[in-house]
Amino acid sequence: LHIAILASILSVIIYWLIRDRYRVRNLNGKHVFITGCDTGLGNSLAQWLDKKGFCVIAACTTEKGSQELRSCSSLSLKTVNLNLADSNSIARAVEFVTDQTAGKGLFGFVSNAEGTAPVGPTDWLRIEDFHSVLDVSLLGLIEITLKLLPLLKKAEGRVVNLINAKGLMAFVGGGYSLSKWGMEAFSDTLRIEMKHFGVKVSIVEHGFFKAEVVHSNILEKYLFKLWNRLTPEIRDSYGEKYFVE
């Protein structure tokens, strides 16, 4: 029995070592579409894959973000403006990706978008506060994924959903944690369904970055905004001490 257990463990280790040494070959002509490329992780990934030789299509929320990314990348990297809360913007971006891939299909789609604020105690929030996050970080990502599936199936490509691991800890109210849990469930379902078409679906749960300092300041700003708009009844029920702490 001990020998069988050791053999099983050794087989798993060998499998992982072989799998992790695998590399994609012949990168020329392989298109990868990435969302959230203005700054941070999406921006860095777009530049890295561009240097590796992939045909990168980077979605940015602002024209400034697009220009800055193009200025430090090769001529093969293309950018497109994308607002994930706007179905028309999503449709235009998908049309752009379809034109760029020129019938080859889409080798990879990396979803990287975060609507972070506002967060706070649940009864400080209104339904529109949930929409401001979920429309981008959950429903927007689901919508664009659905519209890209024909291209992904054609190339037997892969979907990689980048999900901040802190969003899996539901310790504060608002749409942030809801969007992360939702993308986990969507990814798990999609993975099972797309296996039939040779499309792989992966989740990368990443940690913290230097940008968190900026996000912290934004969240604090929103907390003050939420506190100031509360009814006297709700504000009194929490008290000034609670807000300060």
Side-chain angles (χ1 to χ4, degrees):
L1 180 62
H2 290 164
I3 294 175
I5 294 174
L6 288 174
S8 299
I9 294 173
L10 183 60
S11 298
V12 172
I13 293 173
I14 293 173
Y15 166 77
W16 278 97
L17 289 174
I18 293 174
R19 195 191 74 159
D20 287 353
R21 289 175 61 87
Y22 178 76
R23 294 292 182 272
V24 176
R25 308 298 179 186
N26 302 319
L27 305 184
N28 186 38
K30 286 184 168 62
H31 290 81
V32 179
F33 178 48
I34 310 169
T35 64
C37 294
D38 294 79
T39 58
L41 186 56
N43 184 281
S44 299
L45 180 61
Q47 293 185 52
W48 188 77
L49 291 179
D50 177 52
K51 291 176 183 177
K52 288 289 183 181
F54 285 98
C55 299
V56 176
I57 307 171
C60 299
T61 57
T62 64
E63 183 58 35
K64 178 183 177 183
S66 296
Q67 292 176 354
E68 290 178 350
L69 179 56
R70 288 196 300 267
S71 69
C72 57
S73 306
S74 74
L75 294 177
S76 67
L77 183 143
K78 307 298 181 182
T79 61
V80 60
N81 288 348
L82 174 63
N83 176 7
L84 284 169
D86 182 356
S87 292
N88 292 327
S89 178
I90 290 174
R92 287 192 295 268
V94 171
E95 183 180 357
F96 181 82
V97 173
T98 303
D99 292 340
Q100 290 296 316
T101 54
K104 297 178 181 178
L106 186 60
F107 178 78
F109 169 50
V110 182
S111 73
N112 169 56
E114 293 208 346
T116 57
V119 296
T122 300
D123 63 347
W124 293 19
L125 302 171
R126 300 170 183 169
I127 192 63
E128 55 265 31
D129 297 322
F130 286 86
H131 275 294
S132 67
V133 179
L134 296 176
D135 287 351
V136 173
S137 296
L138 180 59
L139 298 178
L141 288 177
I142 290 175
E143 181 176 354
I144 196 167
T145 301
L146 295 177
K147 291 185 176 179
L148 289 171
L149 285 181
L151 295 175
L152 290 160
K153 288 159 70 174
K154 188 168 188 175
E156 294 190 358
R158 64 269 299 123
V159 177
V160 180
N161 289 324
L162 304 182
I163 300 176
N164 196 319
K166 72 182 181 186
L168 303 180
M169 299 175 286
F171 59 88
V172 66
Y176 187 74
S177 294
L178 289 175
S179 69
K180 303 311 167 190
W181 284 102
M183 281 305 295
E184 291 267 345
F186 176 70
S187 302
D188 289 342
T189 304
L190 191 66
R191 182 183 303 113
I192 297 169
E193 296 167 345
M194 287 297 108
K195 185 177 180 181
H196 174 75
F197 301 98
V199 175
K200 301 177 180 66
V201 179
S202 302
I203 299 169
V204 176
E205 295 173 349
H206 61 82
F208 296 85
F209 297 92
K210 290 181 179 178
E212 299 298 330
V213 176
V214 178
H215 291 160
S216 171
N217 294 335
I218 294 173
L219 294 178
E220 183 174 317
K221 175 184 175 182
Y222 269 98
L223 278 175
F224 274 101
K225 182 179 178 180
L226 293 175
W227 176 257
N228 290 330
R229 80 177 189 190
L230 290 178
T231 64
E233 181 184 8
I234 295 178
R235 193 181 301 169
D236 291 344
S237 71
Y238 281 90
E240 190 76 29
K241 182 180 178 182
Y242 180 94
F243 174 65
V244 171
E245 289 177 349

